[in-house]
Amino acid sequence: MARWLSLGCYPLFFLYSSSSASQTPSAKRSLTLPNHSTPFKKVRPTLDYGGWNKPRPSTLAQPQPPLQGFSNLGNTCYMNAILQSLFSLPSFSNDLLKQGIPWKKVPANALLRRFAHLLAKKDTSCPEVKKDLLRRVKSAISSTAERFSGYMQNDAHEFLSQCLDQLKEDVEKMNKTWKSESPAAAWDEPPQQATAARPGEEADTSRVYTCPVVVNMEFEVQHTITCKGCGEVVTKREQFNDLSIDLPRRKKTLPLRSIQDSLDLFFRMEEIEYSCEKCSGKAATVTHKFSRLPRVLILHLKRYSFNAQLSLNSKLGQQVMIPRYLTLLSHCTDATRPPLTLGWSAHAAMDKHLFLSYSQSGDLANSFRLISVVSHIGSSSSSGHYISDVYDMKKQSWLTYNDLDVSRTQEATVQMDRDRSGYIFFYMHKDVFEELSELERTGSSGGTSEAGRTVLQPL
Ligand SMILES: [Zn+2]
């Protein structure tokens, strides 16, 4: 640790700022990829809106209840789009709702509880009830991050980051509180909020509850710095909830660049300025590899650059290919840990042959499959509109959520229509995807009486 701190002014670990509005400049990266100040290209509205305003043929023969999204409370499409993408992840929602968190012991104003409440009610409540639950989620976020308190347009990625961080903190507090046996110690909350559990809802203080964000989205990257003078190696591991990646600059002679290119660009080996403790050398190389993979990899494409003249974040409407699969193989090592298994479904007796069959299928290991895209339509991060396309595993169909409106779409349409507006991409580890699909097909991931009982707890 001390050695690491002695590295001094090396800027690497400031590069991974999750905020699109405050990209920290890096001398090294700036050389090859300057903060774009290219003129904003007008987004083609007919293409960008194509996914949701045109009726599309339904792929289901059976009549279904009408789908309904979330009301816009006033420029809250950034929140709606993010929530729909998160809620559509079955492993995430199961970890939140089905591990038996004794909700009465969680303060009523905690994001964790409000989030779970909205998730549990999203498909069964009327818009007015959901509006109220949405307001509660928004105010739980605003109490920590004031910029979300009004009704101004906000950046969806900043909202996502805040959401994930705050949920993590809530679970930490919850586990800490129950360990220390003083219910309100960790919460900024009057004690009466966290008492009076009903019989049968006593918190099991010996139990540590799983954080849905940690087990689903969190991953670890190992940075390895090698001195060019003496070969001294220094490593550092870093945890992320998501990755902010640059738009690869397009050269006219080259084919269209893709999200895979952006990801590969992030993981490329770099030469850096470096003061070696051992030989006083001044140069080193640094490589980055996944040391632990997530179930769901969230990629934030840095489409905004700050325009000092206009004092706003202008958007780079550059076209980017959205592949169905990403492969992380070249960014992993033999020691890379796979995503955490679906613990909540352990009783479902998943056969090992599923995993074996995929590793033998000829497809590359550690592939991730596209499951959701949050898109921004408009010219700057403070204006425009957010929508989200999600793959609904239960319906085995793609849906476009545009505030209250929900429509069916196709994967190919999403890939095509969001090439200039796609902003945040959710990719699920293929093994996890197959396991979850199998569970949905066999009906063992939900709808049981046990699940139903647990789902009602946030009420
Ligand atoms: Zn050295």
Side-chain angles (χ1 to χ4, degrees):
M1 191 61 196
R3 158 167 286 182
W4 184 253
L5 291 171
S6 72
L7 292 175
C9 63
Y10 174 55
L12 176 68
F13 303 110
F14 298 103
L15 291 177
Y16 307 106
S17 160
S18 62
S19 165
S20 60
S22 58
Q23 292 172 24
T24 311
S26 142
K28 195 66 202 173
R29 294 213 173 197
S30 295
L31 279 176
T32 49
L33 211 93
N35 277 342
H36 294 251
S37 56
T38 45
F40 167 67
K41 284 182 196 163
K42 200 165 169 61
V43 177
R44 290 164 296 163
T46 47
L47 261 188
D48 282 317
Y49 282 83
W52 60 268
N53 66 353
K54 275 183 279 181
R56 294 189 180 273
S58 167
T59 51
L60 295 180
Q62 297 296 319
Q64 297 282 315
L67 294 162
Q68 221 162 34
F70 294 145
S71 301
N72 193 319
L73 308 174
N75 285 321
T76 52
C77 54
Y78 66 91
M79 173 169 94
N80 290 348
I82 291 298
L83 292 177
Q84 296 292 5
S85 286
L86 290 176
F87 289 169
S88 72
L89 307 170
S91 55
F92 177 78
S93 56
N94 278 300
D95 287 331
L96 194 59
L97 296 180
K98 294 184 185 172
Q99 61 169 314
I101 293 173
W103 292 107
K104 301 285 179 195
K105 291 221 163 189
V106 179
N109 63 355
L111 176 67
L112 182 69
R113 184 160 162 180
R114 293 183 171 188
F115 205 81
H117 200 164
L118 177 62
L119 172 59
K121 300 294 249 175
K122 76 181 177 73
D123 293 325
T124 53
S125 298
C126 67
E128 282 309 308
V129 170
K130 284 199 278 187
K131 248 185 184 174
D132 184 53
L133 297 174
L134 277 165
R135 277 193 200 100
R136 288 163 192 259
V137 167
K138 187 171 173 292
S139 82
I141 295 263
S142 314
S143 66
T144 306
E146 215 192 327
R147 65 187 179 281
F148 298 109
S149 59
Y151 292 91
M152 300 277 286
Q153 178 67 282
N154 272 287
D155 182 273
H157 178 252
E158 286 180 18
F159 180 80
L160 172 67
S161 303
Q162 179 62 35
C163 233
L164 299 182
D165 285 342
Q166 211 171 318
L167 288 172
K168 267 182 166 177
E169 282 164 22
D170 281 2
V171 175
E172 271 171 34
K173 281 181 198 167
M174 181 173 78
N175 283 324
K176 207 194 262 175
T177 305
W178 294 340
K179 212 174 269 177
S180 68
E181 290 181 321
S182 70
W187 303 92
D188 301 327
E189 179 76 3
Q192 65 267 21
Q193 288 277 4
T195 54
R198 289 177 197 164
E201 284 182 343
E202 291 297 329
D204 178 358
T205 48
S206 64
R207 186 174 164 187
V208 174
Y209 291 91
T210 301
C211 176
V213 178
V214 171
V215 296
N216 285 283
M217 289 87 169
E218 193 184 271
F219 57 94
E220 197 178 75
V221 173
Q222 178 168 306
H223 311 286
T224 304
I225 298 168
T226 310
C227 173
K228 290 182 90 172
C230 68
E232 172 81 345
V233 172
V234 178
T235 61
K236 165 78 178 174
R237 289 182 175 192
E238 190 177 11
Q239 284 85 35
F240 298 86
N241 295 334
D242 63 11
L243 219 50
S244 290
I245 53 175
D246 285 296
L247 270 166
R249 271 196 297 180
R250 190 182 179 186
K251 293 188 181 125
K252 276 182 182 150
T253 50
L254 288 172
L256 185 60
R257 311 306 295 273
S258 80
I259 301 290
Q260 179 80 51
D261 295 320
S262 290
L263 185 70
D264 295 346
L265 191 67
F266 183 94
F267 281 91
R268 78 194 188 284
M269 190 178 82
E270 296 166 282
E271 302 213 345
I272 54 163
E273 280 178 35
Y274 170 77
S275 289
C276 179
E277 277 191 341
K278 233 178 171 182
C279 75
S280 302
K282 294 282 177 240
T285 58
V286 59
T287 58
H288 322 276
K289 297 282 180 190
F290 281 98
S291 42
R292 175 163 57 84
L293 292 169
R295 288 174 183 164
V296 178
L297 179 66
I298 304 177
L299 297 173
H300 159 234
L301 191 61
K302 293 196 249 173
R303 278 200 184 272
Y304 299 103
S305 66
F306 189 72
N307 183 324
Q309 275 180 326
L310 296 171
S311 176
L312 53 75
N313 285 314
S314 59
K315 183 175 169 185
L316 310 167
Q318 186 183 315
Q319 198 177 11
V320 67
M321 206 185 92
I322 306 168
R324 186 180 196 189
Y325 288 103
L326 287 180
T327 176
L328 274 49
L329 189 62
S330 60
H331 310 311
C332 294
T333 67
D334 290 345
T336 301
R337 283 175 286 156
L340 292 167
T341 52
L342 302 173
W344 52 270
S345 63
H347 64 277
M350 264 304 295
D351 286 339
K352 283 254 190 278
H353 71 80
L354 246 180
F355 288 97
L356 289 173
S357 67
Y358 280 96
S359 56
Q360 291 166 359
S361 69
D363 290 324
L364 292 171
N366 294 331
S367 290
F368 281 67
R369 190 192 197 285
L370 182 70
I371 46 159
S372 184
V373 181
V374 170
S375 300
H376 178 257
I377 294 140
S379 58
S380 79
S381 61
S382 55
S383 65
H385 185 54
Y386 286 102
I387 56 171
S388 101
D389 298 288
V390 309
Y391 180 72
D392 186 310
M393 296 194 97
K394 207 159 246 137
K395 296 183 175 66
Q396 294 185 43
S397 160
W398 278 84
L399 301 173
T400 302
Y401 286 91
N402 173 30
D403 289 333
L404 210 48
D405 294 327
V406 189
S407 56
R408 281 176 197 278
T409 184
Q410 307 287 334
E411 185 177 62
T413 309
V414 173
Q415 289 173 278
M416 209 165 59
D417 288 358
R418 312 303 180 214
D419 63 344
R420 288 177 193 274
S421 58
Y423 182 45
I424 303 169
F425 303 87
F426 294 68
Y427 279 88
M428 185 181 279
H429 194 286
K430 207 177 66 168
D431 292 346
V432 175
F433 181 88
E434 294 301 334
E435 189 179 355
L436 284 168
S437 300
E438 183 62 22
L439 289 168
E440 293 295 346
R441 270 195 295 274
T442 56
S444 47
S445 79
T448 64
S449 57
E450 190 201 355
R453 182 185 60 79
T454 320
V455 165
L456 290 176
Q457 280 195 2
L459 292 175

